[in-house]
Amino acid sequence: MTKEQEKMAVETLSLTKTYKGKAAVSHLNMKVREGSIYGFIGRNGAGKSTTLKMLCGLAKPTEGEIRLFGKPADDPYVARRIGSLIETAGLYPGMTARENMVLKARCMGLPDEKDVDRILDTTGLGNAGRKKVRHFSMGMKQRLGIGLALLGNPDLLILDEPINGLDPEGTREVRQLLLTLFQEGKTLIISSHILGELSKIATHYGIIRAGNLVEQIDRERLENNCRDYFQIEVNDSKRALPLISEQMPSIQAEVMDNRLIRLYDLKDGAGLNQLLIVNGIQVHSSGFHHMDLEEYFLNRMDNLTSQESAASKGGEEHV
């Protein structure tokens, strides 16, 4: 199946949300393929939660369009295909996990308690018994929140920071649960600032900055873009760079600051160190590195900031 033939769980067209005249989300065009895990990433205040609230119907767009499974977002049938966990789950601490589930199921008009037991087993809470939610770990509460979102057997799960604040064990439990749901064929949109964890499960990514969707990229393309590099710290990068360019013209070099240089496609790190030392340049540290999702994201943000700064200065010069 080609990308053109793949069905979309979510499509937005010029989706915008303004508060008091300021755009929290601006003309956002998002595409989430069915059967994918879409990692939605951005700095705090970038517009992640606002976007997810609009997708869930918890916030009304100022302008633009949302289509879910090819239908308008206000289609009653579509609403039943979505489960969400935005911010907190709204648990009743004096009830057990099952009592919380049964209560919400009844509010949704779902009489069959077998689904409740099935979801509790899926989330690993089937043996929680009479333990009250107030005594749950944070990881157990998050899994129960996801369980509540699973009531009605939705095809799309929208989860806002589901691993935020969890200890390593809780993070592992939630990660495994999300992978299980993905393997069962569900589509997941997950916002998170814990990029190392997100990179373990996401198949696609959307990067949002200041309300604008700046990039959508799949895992394969991201891995191709996350190049290996050799980073070297010297006493003066302005002296080192011309020497490297002259002696190693095929090597792409990037100056990070007045001491750090990053080199791509370099094979002989020891040879570079020797070259610099022989020419009187002090080498404080050096080594090969692999760029991960977090570094890719930070570089993307830094590059955009630099471009905006350059554009602003150019505009000032023409005033």
Side-chain angles (χ1 to χ4, degrees), residues 9-10 32 36-38 52 55-56 69 81-86 104 122-123 145-151 153-160 162 177-182 184-191:
V10 176
V32 179
S36 67
I37 299 181
Y38 188 95
L52 299 187
L55 296 182
C56 296
F69 300 101
R81 299 184 68 181
I82 300 173
S84 64
L85 175 59
I86 307 294
K104 183 175 180 182
T122 297
T123 57
I146 296 171
L148 292 170
L150 287 169
L151 283 167
N153 194 27
D155 298 303
L156 170 65
L157 277 178
I158 300 176
L159 308 174
D160 189 19
L177 170 58
L178 298 178
L179 285 172
T180 297
L181 297 173
F182 167 65
E184 291 176 355
K186 297 194 182 298
T187 304
L188 293 88
I189 301 177
I190 304 171
S191 78

Side-chain angles (χ1 to χ4, degrees), residues 67-273:
R67 296 190 68 81
L68 303 173
F69 300 101
K71 298 181 180 295
D74 56 2
D75 186 302
Y77 172 72
V78 167
R80 294 195 294 270
R81 299 184 68 181
I82 300 173
S84 64
L85 175 59
I86 307 294
E87 295 174 350
T88 59
L91 305 175
Y92 290 94
M95 292 183 175
T96 65
R98 194 175 192 282
E99 288 168 343
N100 270 275
M101 292 281 290
V102 168
L103 178 61
K104 183 175 180 182
R106 288 175 178 171
C107 290
M108 295 174 64
L110 303 173
D112 192 352
E113 294 186 5
K114 290 182 180 179
D115 283 343
V116 168
D117 295 323
R118 177 183 56 80
I119 293 171
L120 286 172
D121 288 338
T122 297
T123 57
L125 296 171
N127 296 321
R130 297 183 179 181
K131 187 175 183 178
K132 304 296 184 184
V133 168
R134 67 165 61 96
H135 301 302
F136 279 16
S137 67
M138 183 64 73
M140 292 175 71
K141 290 178 180 177
Q142 285 296 86
R143 283 185 282 134
L144 178 55
I146 296 171
L148 292 170
L150 287 169
L151 283 167
N153 194 27
D155 298 303
L156 170 65
L157 277 178
I158 300 176
L159 308 174
D160 189 19
E161 299 283 0
I163 55 177
N164 189 29
L166 300 185
D167 60 20
E169 179 63 20
T171 299
R172 185 191 65 80
E173 292 171 352
V174 172
R175 184 205 315 142
Q176 189 56 52
L177 170 58
L178 298 178
L179 285 172
T180 297
L181 297 173
F182 167 65
Q183 290 162 2
E184 291 176 355
K186 297 194 182 298
T187 304
L188 293 88
I189 301 177
I190 304 171
S191 78
S192 180
H193 65 273
I194 307 175
L195 304 188
E197 279 299 320
L198 193 59
S199 66
K200 295 176 182 177
I201 60 174
T203 62
H204 297 75
Y205 300 90
I207 301 177
I208 188 171
R209 179 179 183 273
N212 297 285
L213 192 64
V214 297
E215 184 174 17
Q216 293 188 104
I217 187 169
D218 62 32
R219 178 189 289 166
E220 183 178 355
R221 283 178 54 214
L222 177 67
E223 289 176 351
N224 289 336
N225 290 348
C226 288
R227 302 164 62 189
D228 291 335
Y229 61 89
F230 185 82
Q231 183 163 288
I232 189 164
E233 182 182 3
V234 296
N235 62 330
D236 187 352
S237 64
K238 291 182 179 179
R239 287 184 57 217
L241 187 61
L243 180 63
I244 295 171
S245 299
E246 179 184 350
Q247 297 295 322
M248 301 178 172
S250 63
I251 299 300
Q252 179 187 346
E254 181 180 8
V255 177
M256 309 307 294
D257 56 35
N258 63 347
R259 296 172 66 91
L260 283 179
I261 300 175
R262 188 171 292 177
L263 300 110
Y264 299 93
D265 302 318
L266 178 71
K267 305 298 183 184
D268 184 11
L272 174 63
N273 288 341

